[in-house]
Amino acid sequence: MTMTSFTPTSLEDLLSAMPRLNPNDRALIERAYRKAEAGHAGQTRKSGDPYFTHCVAVAAILTDLKLEAEAIAAGLLHDIVEDTPVTVDELREEFGVTVARLVEGVSKLKNIPVEANLNKDNTGRKKTVINKELEYIRRMFMHMGEDVRVMFIKLADRLHNMRTLGFMKPEKQLRIARETMDIFAPLANRLGIWQIKWELEDLSLRYIEPDTYRSIAARIDERRADRETYMQRIVEKLKAELAKQGIHNATVAGRPKHITSIYNKMKRKNIPFEQVFDVRAVRVILNEKHECYQALGIVHNLWKPIPREFDDYIGQPKDNHYQSLHTAVYDENGKTVEIQIRTWDMHHHAEYGIAAHWKYKEGVNGDSEYERRLNALRKMMEFGKDTNESDDDYMDALKTDFFQDRVYAVTPKGEVIDLPLGATPIDFAYHIHTDIGHRARGARVNGQLVKLNHKLRSGEQVEIQTTKSGGPSRDWLNAEAGYCVTNRAKEKIRYYFRKLDRDQHIASGRDIVERELDRLGLSNSITFQTLSELFEFPSVEDFFAAVGAGDITSNQISNRSLEEERRRQREIDIKTQPEKLFKPRNAPTPPTGAITGVGATGMLTRLATCCNPVPGDEIIGFVTRGRGVTIHRTSCGNIVNLSDHERERLIDVSWGGQTTTNRYLVCLDVVAYDRAGLARDVTAIVADERVNIHDLRVSRKGDISTLSLKLEVSEPRQVTRLISLIQQVNSVTDVYRPHGS
Ligand code: MN
């Protein structure tokens, strides 16, 4: 949506843009049109066009701002008092008090000499510059009576003059463009009328930096066809998806990039045109607020969202009441697409600012925020009318009223930085560049060293002293210390620490996970990747970061790891020893481990007491009469000395698949706050698990006890299970397998 740039060529043309006019308003506009047409008859613009075309163009812009009949009539008549014999009294008689007052207000704003930005290098001059800007705005207020619409008319007037600036002499062009950039664009911005702000800025830049402007404009033009095809595809796709999900009334459109915004971004971020321009921007406008969030979900489902690029300005509107959801995604080709989602209501706020709410001026509609702003403006204007006020008092009033929430500080190069009241050198530094903010260590204000939480005042020249490297201080985020007030600075600082913290969290998270797996003896069986998948993290880094940040405790890690290990063991069992899972309850269990042998399966076996075979020994079975099989070492004297007849009763046996893991010693260290009964509780658990304790030592250091257990276990699962059980014992802080066990 752009501000209309078409100039109506007839009354009908102009009226056609106002379809819902009532007969009285229509008549008022008709009379104003005729009056202005007659009054300016014979006058021409520098372009050679009849002067009256300018009046109609201004009225058309006001129509676009959705102002009502009186303001549009005043727009038609805005130059008539200045440039023709018609008087304000005459207007009052013919058009009423309001129209006359609006025209008078605009007329008095003529010909105020403003030398903006002539500053060079000394501090005093810079202060003067700001005061000149203030001075102009002050006069605007003084002369426009109590009606903010004067300002809208003045902005519309300036906009059309800027559009036709090409017909002026070059030196005049530059002066007017600077004035527009310095005063009128910020004023439009202040009133929240982005449409006028952008156009004024682009038109000004064209004269202030003609080469840059032309080069950017040419490059935009060059790539327009490509871009439009691409945007069309994105828009169609999003529209189709929204419709599929039940949102049929969405307006989806590519968002035009303003030359000044591209230029500022190139300058600010020091990146080339392509990088700024390559970012595609789409806007989705909906009827209902809840649809915005629904649409956001659909967008994030359709394309991959870029982390940390999402902002909810609906839930948390910006300082200037701007509302929208902002997000950025990667499309199928990996290109960045910025997406704004808002309702029509929010859209009108954003595009037309106060003007969009002018219809609520009587307060019937209860838009309290805009009421408040309008009332503040009105109050200030009334104050300005009081001729007894001295200039200084008035300036103060301006600073505390219209500028109540703004501070204008100056860079050493004379650039004016617009900051909210209470802003500090830190805010100032971040406003200039994120990196300057991060590295700020000191500040000079008007040459004097100040603290970094010094409250800046309008007109102060600020010089930031930076360190070569390093980052912000966490103190800066402490609200009571008052180091910064702007969201921009706070966000940059928070982001810095989020990123720094993330790096640190990843490192410490990795340590924790490593230690935990090591402790459980699972380092070789469970990978970081497996673990991060178990916790459903997209990457190992994200998983580490969450662990490091304390979002996932080491307890959760060990529980999940042990669970996984048990699951895997079961899987292995099913594959390799399915019978284990179905072993009958009453099956004879050999006293030590399983012994398998030809024909020995299921037979009662016992270890011979003459030779005491232990796992790993070569063994042989001797089938006894009625007592099953006795297992001997093959080297046992009783076997060696068997008669030939007895030898027929020997069978081959082996320790089976578990020969080497059947029984082995494992050390476990249990660290706990010392208490009575600790060792008893721990050993009871071990006994319950039918694990033999080979050795137990207790050492104390202060109130910390370490139980060093040497256990005889038959399978690794027993260890992991024991660790998790002992971990739950009261006062136990840590259970792990010491290295080397
Ligand atoms: Mn004019």
Side-chain angles (χ1 to χ4, degrees), residues 45 51 54 58 78-79 110 157 161:
R45 299 271 288 173
Y51 194 90
H54 167 66
V58 169
H78 80 274
D79 278 328
K110 283 270 169 80
D157 177 44
N161 285 338

Side-chain angles (χ1 to χ4, degrees), residues 705-721:
S705 267
T706 303
L707 308 185
S708 299
L709 299 154
K710 202 178 261 183
L711 306 170
E712 239 177 54
V713 297
S714 51
E715 24 175 30
R717 272 184 287 174
Q718 282 184 301
V719 184
T720 46
R721 182 169 163 78

Side-chain angles (χ1 to χ4, degrees), residues 627-638:
R627 285 169 61 198
V629 179
T630 309
I631 308 300
H632 294 263
R633 294 163 69 169
T634 45
S635 59
C636 175
N638 287 335

